Amino acid sequence: MRAKALSINTPEDQTGTPGRTFLVAGHLLSAPKAVPGLHLVATPIGNLGDITLRALETLAGVDIIACEDTRITRRLMERYAISAQLKPYHEHNAAQARPKILERLAQGASIALVCDAGTPLISDPGFKLVREVCAAGRAVIALPGPSSVLAALTVAALPTDRFFFEGFLPAKETARRARLDQLARIDATLVMFESGNRVQATLADLADIMGGRDAAICREMTKLHEEVKRARVCELAQSADSMERRGEFVLVIGPPAAATQLMAWDDLDELLRMQLRRASVRDAVAHAVELSGRPRREIYARALELAREVQPPGGADGDHGQE
């Protein structure tokens, strides 16, 4: 690292403007001016200690920091005593802010792009900016660091050789269930974000569609109240009523191959009941066959029995006959 130790009493450079410095463990370090270009800087997802020395040096050395919420980024700057010019860049002002950033880059400026938490461009509006900066022939420099996707994936105790990041699911139930039906066909561990006010409904939909898979709910990663729950999807959905729903959630769902053991009959009954409340016998059986590992004929017979108690007489499915 190129940073040099300074006296704690030298906060300004020779021009009288705030110096390019940052504070680490009580030591004030100097940072060289960052090279011209767009620097993509990963920032902590919760614990402010989770930031690299290279990221601090870059944030202290750039001309401008473009950030989603200046209030959130300012807390990080204050923690490390960085004097920086903060400019908002988010989904609501991106179209207006991009040309100004490109203009400054053309003038030789160094600009850092950060999001509120984690790695830029992951579920935030930075993609178009990076594309236009590259098209203009300007440098784009990535500074890797914290990511809630990878943090959740590593603690979920699920296969990591292949994973698919979905981001946020649709907010409306019909669209969400349709998307989950598509995701269920992917032979990989699934990683998705969810908000506290929708996580219960999302878990119910997941239980209907992927109920037998192993999964993990990761809440408030790296923060004071971090919590990780690991169980089958159907079990996590059953306990959702008593779950703390404040905070940010990452849901990790194991691949279809993870459900290799035969599902217990009690778990199968619960899965079928949840599906039969929303779907036909045929659809409920199709989901259960994939998730339980049990023969289709056994599952179909059990679904017919449960349909009589779950669905009203002459229910909507109309496929109670022999297969």
Side-chain angles (χ1 to χ4, degrees):
M1 182 175 168
R2 297 166 295 169
K4 297 180 180 180
L6 288 178
S7 165
I8 199 70
N9 296 317
T10 58
E12 296 188 350
D13 62 21
Q14 293 179 350
T15 65
T17 58
R20 300 181 185 279
T21 59
F22 59 100
L23 190 66
V24 177
H27 298 283
L28 193 66
L29 306 176
S30 68
K33 186 181 187 307
V35 298
L38 183 66
H39 301 253
L40 309 177
V41 182
T43 56
I45 59 176
N47 189 320
L48 293 183
D50 293 336
I51 189 165
T52 68
L53 292 175
R54 184 184 173 208
L56 292 173
E57 183 184 62
T58 299
L59 293 174
V62 295
D63 299 308
I64 298 171
I65 299 176
C67 52
E68 284 186 90
D69 189 327
T70 57
R71 296 167 298 180
I72 292 175
T73 302
R74 186 168 287 111
R75 288 199 291 269
L76 180 65
M77 299 300 100
E78 291 173 350
R79 164 71 178 267
Y80 293 100
I82 295 174
S83 298
Q85 184 180 10
L86 304 182
K87 294 290 186 182
Y89 184 85
H90 48 72
E91 61 180 342
H92 302 297
N93 79 335
Q96 294 76 34
R98 269 197 305 275
K100 297 177 182 178
I101 292 176
L102 289 166
E103 182 180 355
R104 288 299 306 271
L105 290 173
Q107 296 169 354
S110 54
I111 299 176
L113 177 68
V114 303
C115 56
D116 287 346
T119 301
L121 275 70
I122 307 302
S123 289
D124 77 41
F127 157 67
K128 292 182 180 178
L129 174 61
V130 170
R131 181 176 60 185
E132 294 189 23
V133 171
C134 290
R138 310 298 172 195
V140 176
I141 303 102
L143 282 74
S147 166
S148 58
V149 176
L150 296 181
L153 186 66
T154 54
V155 302
L158 294 169
T160 58
D161 52 335
R162 289 190 304 274
F163 68 92
F164 182 88
F165 173 59
E166 171 65 10
F168 283 97
L169 292 164
K172 293 187 178 179
E173 180 183 3
T174 301
R176 183 171 61 242
R177 290 178 64 85
R179 181 56 183 158
L180 288 174
D181 276 327
Q182 295 173 334
L183 293 173
R185 304 186 186 101
I186 298 175
D187 185 17
T189 295
L190 307 174
V191 184
M192 57 196 73
F193 293 156
E194 194 50 277
S195 63
N197 61 343
R198 286 202 303 266
V199 68
Q200 190 173 7
T202 295
L203 285 171
D205 291 338
L206 279 165
D208 282 351
I209 297 168
M210 309 180 210
R213 299 192 192 184
D214 292 330
I217 302 175
C218 304
R219 186 179 73 88
E220 295 288 85
M221 294 297 297
T222 79
K223 299 179 183 177
L224 179 62
H225 300 292
E226 176 180 317
E227 182 180 23
V228 179
K229 292 184 176 181
R230 304 174 186 87
R232 287 184 176 177
V233 174
C234 57
E235 295 167 346
L236 293 171
Q238 291 171 18
S239 63
D241 287 344
S242 59
M243 182 176 63
E244 173 60 66
R245 291 194 290 275
R246 288 177 294 181
E248 299 173 346
F249 291 80
V250 184
L251 308 180
V252 188
I253 314 299
T260 55
Q261 296 182 343
L262 292 182
M263 183 181 291
W265 281 109
D266 288 346
D267 292 338
L268 177 61
D269 285 355
E270 184 60 29
L271 174 62
L272 285 171
R273 287 189 182 97
M274 287 191 292
Q275 292 172 342
L276 287 168
R277 293 187 185 103
R278 303 184 182 207
S280 67
V281 169
R282 182 177 290 112
D283 289 341
V285 169
H287 285 308
V289 167
E290 176 195 358
L291 300 174
S292 70
R294 291 187 175 276
R296 182 180 181 86
R297 185 173 296 277
E298 290 181 8
I299 296 174
Y300 185 76
R302 186 58 181 154
L304 288 179
E305 295 178 17
L306 294 174
R308 299 187 184 100
E309 67 179 66
V310 173
Q311 296 178 340
D317 50 286
D319 62 355
H320 288 186
Q322 295 294 319
E323 288 198 312

